[in-house]
Amino acid sequence: MLKRTSFGRRIAAGLAGVAVIMGLGSYAFVNAARFLESPAQAPVRSDAAFVLGGGFGDREIRAAELHRDGLTAQFVLMGMEDFIGDMKIDYIHWRVRVLERGGVAQSAIILDGRSSSSDDEAAYGLRLARERGWRRVMVVSDPPHMRRLSILWGRAFAGSGVEVVLVATRPRWWSPDRWWSSRKSANFVVQENIKLVYTLFNLGM
């Protein structure tokens, strides 16, 4: 009788453990998008805004909104190194045009053509902030990028005295509470989590 009771307890404990693991896995799955976007902050008045490259125009539109709201007058367009020749010229042109239509003077737009990785962007951002004497900067990108940017830019700017504010775009395709229901949203969540693991591994965290 004692052996049966002990065996039953082990089975019950095992089932309870499986239930806990499944519950945690389900929670992590459902909240994967919220986890990625949660480092995003409300935009505040800053010396400049770094607008990361890529995306579908949402970053430039968000940057123009920051100018319209009087939060910054200086912009740095990053990610130019991904294009060459006429394609690069056209890419630069339409990004600049979005800001100009939002009232940003061309003289207030800096083009970064040297950064070739997310690490490079953060390093260049710090170097430029120091050269210009900026004390607070915003970094504009899409919601699923916020977690990885908080690590990379936080590490680069640590102890610099320059505050970094992460500002997320508001793309129509982003569905954090049902991210798996949209192919584009799902792709971003999966890819960003892979990149996040790679980033943490390379930083030895």
Side-chain angles (χ1 to χ4, degrees):
M1 186 67 174
L2 181 61
K3 289 183 179 180
R4 289 183 179 179
T5 302
S6 177
F7 178 74
R9 287 176 178 172
R10 288 199 297 271
I11 291 296
L15 291 175
V18 171
V20 170
I21 292 173
M22 291 180 64
L24 291 175
S26 177
Y27 179 85
F29 177 85
V30 170
N31 292 280
R34 289 295 183 189
F35 170 75
L36 291 175
E37 73 171 8
S38 61
Q41 302 159 275
V44 294
R45 187 178 298 277
S46 303
D47 297 303
F50 290 90
V51 186
L52 302 193
F56 307 94
D58 297 295
R59 302 171 193 183
E60 290 73 26
I61 292 173
R62 189 74 174 105
E65 292 174 349
L66 298 177
H67 179 267
R68 180 201 63 198
D69 295 339
L71 296 177
T72 189
Q74 186 80 62
F75 296 87
V76 183
L77 295 181
M78 313 189 84
M80 302 298 183
E81 76 290 340
D82 293 333
F83 300 87
I84 59 175
D86 291 340
M87 183 179 291
K88 183 171 184 176
I89 294 173
D90 290 340
Y91 180 63
I92 293 173
H93 177 72
W94 76 256
R95 296 185 75 194
V96 171
R97 286 286 293 168
V98 172
L99 293 183
E100 288 182 328
R101 284 199 298 268
V104 180
Q106 192 170 27
S107 59
I109 302 173
I110 299 173
L111 304 179
D112 166 38
R114 67 188 73 184
S115 302
S116 59
S117 68
S118 297
D119 283 312
D120 288 345
E121 288 179 340
Y124 174 70
L126 176 60
R127 184 163 64 252
L128 190 59
R130 283 173 168 167
E131 291 174 357
R132 300 295 178 103
W134 296 337
R135 307 306 298 169
R136 177 191 287 154
V137 298
M138 290 183 284
V139 179
V140 181
S141 192
D142 298 323
H145 298 158
M146 294 292 107
R147 178 65 59 180
R148 188 159 54 93
L149 292 178
S150 71
I151 296 172
L152 294 174
W153 285 73
R155 178 173 177 264
F157 279 70
S160 67
V162 182
E163 181 184 356
V164 176
V165 179
L166 300 177
V167 178
T169 60
R170 294 181 286 230
R172 294 180 180 179
W173 52 262
W174 182 239
S175 177
D177 293 323
R178 291 186 58 82
W179 59 267
W180 58 88
S181 64
S182 162
R183 178 176 295 182
K184 185 176 291 187
S185 184
N187 285 340
F188 266 91
V189 170
V190 172
Q191 291 172 11
E192 265 311 302
N193 273 294
I194 293 173
K195 291 178 181 179
L196 182 61
V197 171
Y198 178 80
T199 297
L200 294 174
F201 178 79
N202 281 338
L203 294 180
M205 299 176 70

